[in-house]
Amino acid sequence: MTPGRVVFVGCGPGAADLLTLRAARAIAAADIVIWGRSLLVREAVDAHASPGAEVIAWPPATMEDVLRAYDRARAEGLVVARLKSGDPGTFGLMDEELAAARERGLAIDIVPGVSALGAAAAALGTELTRGGPLELSRPDGGAVTFALFMPGRDPERELRARGLGGDTPCAILHRLSWPGELVVRCRLDALTEQLADLGLDGKTLIVAGAALEP
Ligand SMILES: C[S@@+](CC[C@H](N)C(=O)[O-])C[C@H]1O[C@@H](n2cnc3c(N)ncnc32)[C@H](O)[C@@H]1O
């Protein structure tokens, strides 16, 4: 029996055609496909999963269900494709599952994907590292562009705490590459109000700083 394997597959920001060839092949080769309903478009799964594969959607699946699938992978020598939005290496929240796979002696592969960052740059028609570095979460100064993933309750405060002034250009990027993609530009001092007006769900990235300067 071949040893079990978990492949963490970066599936891009949502659009089925932003899946890489390697990702498509990894999904097609899997006995079990586990995908995150909130961040991935179902067609990406349907188009590539083998007809005989077991497809598990999270939610309603829980971490216990995922761990049960890993147990079966070990016991039966199965391949699990664990689909992640964007690139698994950028806020892929993989730690717990990587540890669980390693504890079970499963082989691990990671397939990189197109991050929401890349989709944001494309939607904005710019380079996010323009004029200086890109900071994903750490405080910094100078010509910096910040990208806030999973923005919390008060992104304006978070960005001001990193030294950005009220006139800093910002963009609210929602459902990048999905139908209904939304790009709203505003100054930092209008960010809270804009977000309240838009009332968006979780698929939102906020970019602020140098890359958005005219
Ligand atoms: C758990 S992180 C996953 C990031 C992912 N690994 C990546 O590389 O894009 C989820 C956050 O990514 C951002 N995100 C992912 N896909 C997005 C999309 N299509 N549009 C806007 N933001 C997205 C949002 O900030 C969301 O809260």
Side-chain angles (χ1 to χ4, degrees):
M1 187 173 72
T2 52
R5 173 176 296 272
V6 180
V7 188
F8 293 88
V9 185
C11 291
D17 60 353
L18 285 178
L19 203 74
T20 66
L21 290 174
R22 189 181 295 187
R25 286 182 192 130
I27 297 170
D31 301 296
I32 302 175
V33 178
I34 306 175
W35 68 293
R37 200 188 278 284
S38 64
L39 281 170
L40 292 171
V41 178
R42 170 82 208 203
E43 292 85 76
V45 181
D46 292 342
H48 302 288
S50 132
E54 180 183 344
V55 176
I56 299 175
W58 169 332
T62 61
M63 190 55 154
E64 284 70 42
D65 297 319
V66 173
L67 298 183
R68 263 195 291 276
Y70 290 3
D71 286 336
R72 284 178 48 213
R74 181 185 52 185
E76 300 170 36
L78 304 178
V79 177
V80 178
R82 177 65 176 98
L83 310 196
K84 293 283 179 179
S85 74
D87 175 40
T90 307
F91 295 111
L93 312 180
M94 285 189 297
D95 276 0
E96 191 178 350
E97 289 181 59
L98 278 171
R102 288 193 177 113
E103 273 165 23
R104 288 163 175 74
L106 295 167
I108 292 168
D109 280 330
I110 299 179
V111 176
V114 177
S115 173
L117 275 179
L124 291 166
T126 190
E127 175 189 327
L128 294 182
T129 46
R130 188 179 144 229
L134 174 67
E135 287 287 333
L136 298 184
S137 64
R138 290 201 332 261
D140 208 330
V144 176
T145 299
F146 291 86
L148 284 189
F149 284 72
M150 299 167 279
R153 280 172 182 274
D154 195 347
E156 181 174 337
R157 191 169 60 84
E158 279 183 45
L159 289 165
R160 284 185 185 272
R162 286 163 166 77
L164 301 191
D167 60 349
T168 305
C170 297
I172 301 164
L173 301 141
H174 181 61
R175 288 184 169 252
L176 287 160
S177 87
W178 291 59
E181 172 182 288
L182 184 70
V183 177
V184 176
R185 293 170 187 258
C186 64
R187 287 167 38 125
L188 180 55
D189 53 14
L191 185 62
T192 304
E193 201 181 326
Q194 278 287 357
L195 286 168
D197 286 351
L198 293 166
L200 306 171
D201 64 20
K203 298 169 200 69
T204 304
L205 183 74
I206 292 174
V207 172
L212 300 174
E213 297 288 355

